[in-house]
Amino acid sequence: MPKRFRVALVTGASRGVGYNVGKEVVKRMPLTTTYMTSRVNVDGLQSILGMQLGAAARDRAKFVRMDVRDLEAVNELKEKIVKKFGGLDILVNNAGIYHVPDKSLSVFPKQVQEILGINYWGTKNVIGSFFPHFKPHSRIVNITSNLGHIMAVKNMEDELKEALRLRFNSCNNEFELDGLLLKFQRDAIQGTWRKEGWPSCGYTVSKMAINAYTRILQRQFDEDDREDVVVNAVYPCTKHSKIDQSDMKILDDEEGARFVFYMAAVKPNSHGVFPRGAVIWNNSRVVDNREGYTYNNKHQVKLPLEIPQV
């Protein structure tokens, strides 16, 4: 049987979970070329990876400076990958930014614009550019957060939390979801976001949007008759220096990255039932899925934790 060469793309891959996800792909998938991007300078990272994994591994890693907000740069990389490999097999959308919420009218709208620009609109830039070019059995992972769970929203009454959850769950397509996010941005600029029922954390809204987008995107792939293209939103449960994680079991970047890699590299039909369009935390718990998995924190779906041989 002929060897199948593959290509992977990991955004936000200059450090932390993103870097370690790319490192896992390079280490465990020797027939895969891995593009690792960051909006900051990537000079020297290929040499560092080579020292960690060896010269041969270094040659399979391609570090690229790319801001996901820059659609021209995203399309330029897409054209290069499609021309050389014919499409994309693995995509991990890790590029993101967090700001400690500042509720002042002079700061909060700017925070919202930057956070959504990278976390939501930037993710959509990457997926939209590659959308026609995902190969059969492609795997897409959108990195999410515990702050994207409705229970993490602070200083909001339960009725408003439920209304916020329903806002996102009622979005049936990208057009509706985009409109909801544009409304949040307008409300932030006008200083009416709290009156309109939004939390005072742009990052929370961005990850709620990613969770909803993941569900919508999976439906698009299924309706488009794509062969076994799967997208999930994954929270790796790794430490974030600016986010309150006091009630969670925190993992180091390498352990979190191994789970993300598993979700990005699992083979088609490897274990029968596999989440599609779901929100998954790195305790193997599906916390949000409309197709028969659990919706709350009381029931768990155990996924196999062994790393697949690829």
Side-chain angles (χ1 to χ4, degrees):
M1 186 175 180
K3 295 181 178 180
R4 180 170 176 251
F5 293 90
R6 295 196 279 184
V7 59
L9 170 61
V10 182
T11 69
S14 62
R15 60 188 176 89
V17 171
Y19 176 82
N20 281 284
V21 170
K23 182 179 173 182
E24 284 293 314
V25 178
V26 172
K27 179 170 64 175
R28 296 182 181 276
M29 301 179 70
L31 299 182
T32 298
T33 298
T34 305
Y35 287 83
M36 302 168 67
T37 76
S38 175
R39 66 179 180 273
V40 301
N41 195 340
V42 296
D43 291 347
L45 291 179
Q46 197 155 353
S47 297
I48 293 173
L49 189 69
M51 288 187 286
Q52 293 172 332
L53 299 180
R58 179 188 63 201
D59 293 340
R60 299 195 303 273
K62 311 294 181 184
F63 284 91
V64 179
R65 186 170 185 175
M66 184 191 79
D67 190 326
V68 295
R69 293 170 293 186
D70 185 347
L71 186 55
E72 183 176 344
V74 172
N75 284 333
E76 182 178 337
L77 179 59
K78 180 259 298 183
E79 292 295 337
K80 179 185 295 186
I81 290 175
V82 171
K83 182 177 180 179
K84 189 170 183 178
F85 299 96
L88 191 62
D89 297 283
I90 292 173
L91 171 61
V92 178
N93 286 303
N94 179 65
I97 192 170
Y98 173 85
H99 289 303
V100 176
D102 186 327
K103 302 176 187 178
S104 64
L105 295 179
S106 60
V107 176
F108 187 70
K110 296 177 182 178
Q111 288 187 338
V112 168
Q113 181 177 0
E114 183 171 27
I115 290 170
L116 292 185
I118 296 174
N119 298 6
Y120 180 68
W121 302 112
T123 296
K124 289 198 63 180
N125 280 345
V126 177
I127 291 180
S129 182
F130 281 95
F131 190 87
H133 307 290
F134 288 112
K135 298 179 182 179
H137 312 299
S138 290
R139 295 291 180 264
I140 304 165
V141 173
N142 296 325
I143 299 299
T144 188
S145 168
N146 63 312
L147 293 189
H149 196 290
I150 193 66
M151 298 307 296
V153 177
K154 297 180 179 180
N155 302 317
M156 182 179 280
E157 297 177 357
D158 289 344
E159 293 80 2
L160 293 177
K161 286 184 179 181
E162 179 63 13
L164 180 62
R165 184 183 71 83
L166 291 175
R167 272 184 174 181
F168 283 99
N169 279 0
S170 64
C171 292
N172 294 311
N173 53 58
E174 285 188 56
F175 179 78
E176 293 176 355
L177 184 58
D178 289 352
L180 188 61
L181 272 293
L182 289 171
K183 173 174 169 49
F184 175 52
Q185 289 182 264
R186 288 194 302 268
D187 291 343
I189 292 171
Q190 295 169 2
T192 60
W193 74 90
R194 282 168 290 196
K195 178 182 176 182
E196 294 295 326
W198 297 103
S200 294
C201 179
Y203 186 83
T204 288
V205 175
S206 76
K207 292 306 181 179
M208 288 181 171
I210 285 297
N211 295 345
Y213 177 51
T214 299
R215 164 178 54 82
I216 292 168
L217 189 62
Q218 184 64 68
R219 184 185 303 159
Q220 290 180 9
F221 286 131
D222 293 344
E223 292 175 351
D224 199 30
D225 290 330
R226 300 291 186 99
E227 185 180 356
D228 190 42
V229 177
V230 176
V231 54
N232 286 298
V234 175
Y235 172 43
C237 298
T238 51
K239 181 175 177 56
H240 195 296
S241 60
K242 298 179 181 179
I243 295 177
D244 180 10
Q245 300 169 304
S246 56
D247 60 343
M248 302 195 64
K249 179 183 177 181
I250 301 303
L251 309 175
D252 61 38
D253 287 340
E254 291 187 354
E255 187 175 358
R258 283 194 291 271
F259 185 75
V260 174
F261 167 77
Y262 170 81
M263 296 301 299
V266 65
K267 294 180 180 180
N269 302 317
S270 295
H271 304 279
V273 176
F274 189 76
R276 302 167 66 88
V279 180
I280 304 163
W281 287 12
N282 192 6
N283 53 7
S284 305
R285 186 173 68 209
V286 180
V287 298
D288 189 352
N289 186 293
R290 291 183 170 188
E291 304 300 330
Y293 292 91
T294 62
Y295 183 74
N296 56 45
N297 291 331
K298 295 180 180 179
H299 304 89
Q300 296 184 2
V301 173
K302 291 295 183 181
L303 303 179
L305 293 178
E306 69 272 12
I307 300 297
Q309 299 300 311
V310 290

